[in-house]
Amino acid sequence: MLPTTDNSMERTEIKIGGFGGQGVILSGYILGRAASIYDEKYATMIQAFGPEARGSACSAQVIVSHKQITYPYITQPTLMVVMSQEAYTKFVPELAPGGLLITEEELVVPHNLRKDVRHYSIPATRFAEELGKKLVVNIVMMGFLTAVTGLVHVEAMRKAVAISVPKGTEELNLKAFEKGYEYGLSVGKKTNESVSMNV
Amino acid sequence: MLPTTDNSMERTEIKIGGFGGQGVILSGYILGRAASIYDEKYATMIQAFGPEARGSACSAQVIVSHKQITYPYITQPTLMVVMSQEAYTKFVPELAPGGLLITEEELVVPHNLRKDVRHYSIPATRFAEELGKKLVVNIVMMGFLTAVTGLVHVEAMRKAVAISVPKGTEELNLKAFEKGYEYGLSVGKKTNESVSMNV
């Protein structure tokens, strides 16, 4: 089980980081929408523009909770998705002890990773290219996250993907999602580890 | 001058609405980034997933302020950008008295618009199509907003557009921004009205 940010274990703080144009914000939007509209949870996504927004690093902060969220700022994420080296360097130090980190295999080299962090990497760019469109890399990542965390029901995520992507690209994005999801399931089996979020 | 949400006239609440895939969230992100990173203001963007997120309407809530923002939720927007009829119907009732509404000319028919609302429409879809890429309609809208509100410096917006859009599309998006900006300036001259935001 992953640690959650408060002791009631009902709130999961997620940070998604990458560079502009990778669909970081859309990923957070899909996750929040899946949790709150198609699953039975509450969610917020916030973009607080601080010094970290200088440069090309880009991040979305998502909170998924069983209760209504009164404080939408992230204090210490327990789950992080990282799609660029700059985002890795900037954001990973914030990850909670024992937190779960998901990185894109080609884009991020996990230098000096803390021992307490549980880490998965996925060749999402390669999968996206195999599907003919590199742009869907973020959706592959979301499929993977769904499989390895169980944070939001897979069917809720599928619905949120379908309704949130540009019209005409639904099928491609759903394929990208499935690719990441299946890879996540296979990795979960290999490691024989039950990774679940407390929401 | 536009009314602002609190009496100190230092906080402007903005809501951007449309349907999924139109770049609503990216627009909010660019506006917030321009204000806080390239201008000397504070900004937050929040996506609170409530009942309004059901269906295909999509919105971003942005706050731009001279002070640090402790409460990131919008209570009553004074500026609204609307790119779909569904978003018009859902969101415009929330607009503050005397607020400013910017709509996309082909996509929104402003039924029963309150008399106190100041309204501009722009053929952003047509401009985007003339540039060869309908997808940049949201950036045309941002250019227009910049010209008619003065909320954020134009140079700050240009920088935020360039760094926030997918790599390889910077030039196209900057052209889209200029198109909307120039149209906004010409409309401003025609109406001989000084519209400025109090930030």
Side-chain angles (χ1 to χ4, degrees):
Chain A
M1 298 283 269
L2 279 176
T4 50
T5 305
D6 64 8
N7 292 329
S8 66
M9 300 198 300
E10 286 182 325
R11 174 183 166 117
T12 302
E13 300 189 352
I14 305 122
K15 189 156 191 170
I16 306 171
F19 48 79
Q22 275 186 320
V24 164
I25 309 291
L26 179 62
S27 301
Y29 178 76
I30 287 172
L31 188 59
R33 187 159 187 158
S36 58
I37 308 296
Y38 304 116
D39 208 337
E40 290 174 354
K41 302 181 176 83
Y42 295 91
T44 58
M45 177 175 82
I46 192 166
Q47 178 65 50
F49 301 89
E52 69 176 39
R54 292 173 203 275
S56 61
C58 167
S59 71
Q61 301 175 33
V62 181
I63 295 172
V64 174
S65 176
H66 269 300
K67 292 185 195 162
Q68 264 196 302
I69 297 159
T70 49
Y71 186 74
Y73 292 105
I74 281 187
T75 53
Q76 198 174 40
T78 51
L79 172 58
M80 204 175 269
V81 178
V82 172
M83 294 195 278
S84 78
Q85 196 65 38
E86 187 183 352
Y88 177 86
T89 306
K90 277 191 180 174
F91 302 140
V92 172
E94 300 167 15
L95 189 60
L100 179 66
L101 171 67
I102 300 173
T103 58
E104 203 293 325
E105 200 167 286
E106 288 180 30
L107 301 172
V108 178
V109 181
H111 290 304
N112 300 321
L113 188 59
R114 279 168 17 218
K115 293 263 185 294
D116 64 284
V117 172
R118 286 190 296 160
H119 176 229
Y120 285 113
S121 74
I122 167 174
T125 301
R126 180 160 61 78
F127 290 156
E129 282 170 348
E130 282 169 13
L131 290 166
K133 198 88 184 174
K134 207 174 158 181
L135 267 177
V136 298
V137 60
N138 60 330
I139 306 298
V140 177
M141 299 294 285
M142 286 298 105
F144 186 80
L145 177 150
T146 305
V148 299
T149 68
L151 177 65
V152 179
H153 287 137
V154 60
E155 203 41 56
M157 286 295 288
R158 287 190 187 113
K159 284 183 193 163
V161 168
I163 206 159
S164 305
V165 299
K167 277 191 210 319
T169 70
E170 293 90 343
E171 199 184 332
L172 170 70
N173 278 287
L174 285 170
K175 275 186 194 163
F177 180 84
E178 292 308 319
K179 189 74 192 174
Y181 183 68
E182 282 164 25
Y183 187 74
L185 290 181
S186 73
V187 165
K189 274 181 197 156
K190 263 184 235 162
T191 58
N192 194 25
E193 186 186 2
S194 164
V195 181
S196 64
M197 304 295 291
N198 300 306
V199 170
Chain B
M1 298 283 268
L2 279 176
T4 49
T5 305
D6 64 8
N7 291 330
S8 66
M9 300 199 298
E10 287 184 324
R11 174 182 166 116
T12 302
E13 301 189 350
I14 305 122
K15 189 156 191 170
I16 306 172
F19 48 79
Q22 275 185 321
V24 164
I25 308 290
L26 179 63
S27 302
Y29 178 76
I30 287 171
L31 188 57
R33 188 161 185 154
S36 58
I37 309 294
Y38 305 116
D39 209 337
E40 290 173 354
K41 301 182 176 83
Y42 295 90
T44 58
M45 177 175 81
I46 191 166
Q47 177 65 49
F49 301 89
E52 71 176 38
R54 292 173 202 275
S56 62
C58 167
S59 71
Q61 301 176 32
V62 182
I63 295 172
V64 174
S65 175
H66 268 300
K67 292 186 196 164
Q68 264 197 302
I69 297 159
T70 49
Y71 186 74
Y73 292 105
I74 281 188
T75 52
Q76 199 175 40
T78 51
L79 171 59
M80 204 175 269
V81 178
V82 172
M83 295 194 278
S84 78
Q85 196 65 39
E86 187 183 352
Y88 178 86
T89 306
K90 277 191 180 174
F91 303 139
V92 171
E94 300 166 15
L95 189 59
L100 179 66
L101 171 67
I102 300 173
T103 57
E104 203 292 326
E105 200 166 286
E106 287 179 29
L107 301 173
V108 179
V109 182
H111 291 303
N112 302 318
L113 188 59
R114 279 167 18 217
K115 293 264 187 292
D116 64 284
V117 171
R118 288 190 294 161
H119 176 228
Y120 286 113
S121 73
I122 166 172
T125 302
R126 180 160 62 77
F127 290 155
E129 283 170 348
E130 283 168 12
L131 290 166
K133 197 89 183 175
K134 207 174 159 182
L135 268 177
V136 298
V137 61
N138 60 329
I139 306 298
V140 178
M141 299 293 286
M142 287 298 106
F144 186 80
L145 176 150
T146 305
V148 300
T149 67
L151 177 65
V152 178
H153 287 136
V154 61
E155 202 42 54
M157 286 294 288
R158 287 189 187 113
K159 284 182 193 165
V161 167
I163 205 159
S164 306
V165 299
K167 279 192 208 317
T169 70
E170 294 89 344
E171 197 184 335
L172 171 70
N173 277 287
L174 285 169
K175 274 187 193 163
F177 180 84
E178 291 309 317
K179 190 74 195 174
Y181 183 68
E182 282 164 24
Y183 187 74
L185 290 181
S186 74
V187 166
K189 275 181 196 157
K190 262 185 233 160
T191 59
N192 196 25
E193 186 185 2
S194 163
V195 181
S196 63
M197 305 295 292
N198 299 306
V199 169

